[in-house]
Structure formats: structure tokens, C-alpha cells
Amino acid sequence: IWFPSLNGVAYLLIPINYKTSEQKLLENHQHLPTKNIKQPLHLNHYGVTHTIATVGDDELEITYNLNFEPPKERNADYDLVVSRDSFENKGKRIDSKMGQLALACMQAIEPFRFSLNPNGTLEAVANHHDMVKEFDEEVPTIKEYFTGDVADKYLDDFKIGISKLSHLEQQLK
């Protein structure tokens, strides 16, 4: 251990079990749980509130439930299933046409299936190709209710957004 600027010090007591902050941090990281833990270390349900400031209008306050579940299959290629429900704006059901279109698009690709790395952070979207395929299958049903150029443009943009895996994973992190 190097201690700079100890001029004139005649005696220095250093404990036998002295650890630098880097050594302590490394030890703490070694004690983190791996992804093979059987019991989850998170709650199954969370309430989420997003407050969005808009120009000229009242701010939006979107609330929903976020649900986490382990995979149902024993040897699944993913670690976590995430879904959302109960979307509201200031305690009321979202009733705008664009809001409902956005929800319909999200529900078409849910639930998300994620692979996690050993420290518990998002590693990859596990069902990306299936997600895009499911969305393509739902588009005709969505278009039955949401018609017009604006809805078509939104659906096209949404498809482009979920088709690029790197873009999708960046948005989800």
C-alpha cells in the first residue's frame, strides 16, 4: 500500500485485514446473486407513474402496473417475462384515439421476454423475431378499428421501431 506525503511520520499502524475501496467493491460484486437463483429478488408487481409535461395543455400523468414473472417452461431461453396493464391518465381510462392505438400496438407485442446477465441487468430481448411476427399478425385487427393515414403511419413507424433489435433494446434499457 502506498501512502504519499507521510514526511515526519515515525510510526504507522495498518490493520492486518485492511482493504482498499476497490477490494471492498470487488468483494461485494462477487456476492451478488447469479441468474440461477430460484427465488426472485424482486416484487412481482409494481405501480408506475409517468408525468409528461406538454406545451399549452395540462401535463399527462400515465399510470400502469408492471408485472414480472419467471418463465413457465423449465428450460426456457429467457429469464423474465414482463407485461403491463391498467393504463390510466390521471386516474381515468385512456380514451383518446391515439392513446388507444399506442396501447393496442404495445399489447400486440407483449409480454416481453428478457434474458438477463449475471448481475441482473437486461442482456437481450429473447423473443424478438416472435414479437415482430405477432405484431404483423395483429396489424389487420388493429386496422379494423384504427383507420386513416395517421394510424397507418403510426403502425408503420411502430413496426420499424420494433424491427431493429438494437434500437428496441436501447429503448427498453
Side-chain angles (χ1 to χ4, degrees), residues 74-85:
R74 183 169 175 80
N75 294 322
D77 61 346
Y78 55 91
D79 301 310
L80 188 64
V81 178
V82 180
S83 62
R84 297 175 296 174
D85 59 33

Side-chain angles (χ1 to χ4, degrees), residues 80-131:
L80 188 64
V81 178
V82 180
S83 62
R84 297 175 296 174
D85 59 33
S86 303
F87 286 86
E88 296 179 345
N89 180 13
K90 294 184 180 178
K92 297 178 183 171
R93 189 173 163 272
I94 295 178
D95 58 358
S96 73
K97 202 72 157 169
M98 286 306 292
Q100 289 178 357
L101 175 58
L103 290 177
C105 289
M106 290 304 297
Q107 289 168 347
I109 64 172
E110 287 185 351
F112 294 111
R113 292 171 184 86
F114 295 114
S115 295
L116 305 175
N117 63 24
N119 67 2
T121 59
L122 175 68
E123 186 173 70
V125 175
N127 64 332
H128 180 254
H129 294 293
D130 293 338
M131 181 188 310

Side-chain angles (χ1 to χ4, degrees), residues 143-155:
K143 282 186 173 185
E144 287 177 8
Y145 184 72
F146 300 98
T147 59
D149 293 339
V150 174
D152 289 344
K153 175 74 171 132
Y154 186 89
L155 290 167

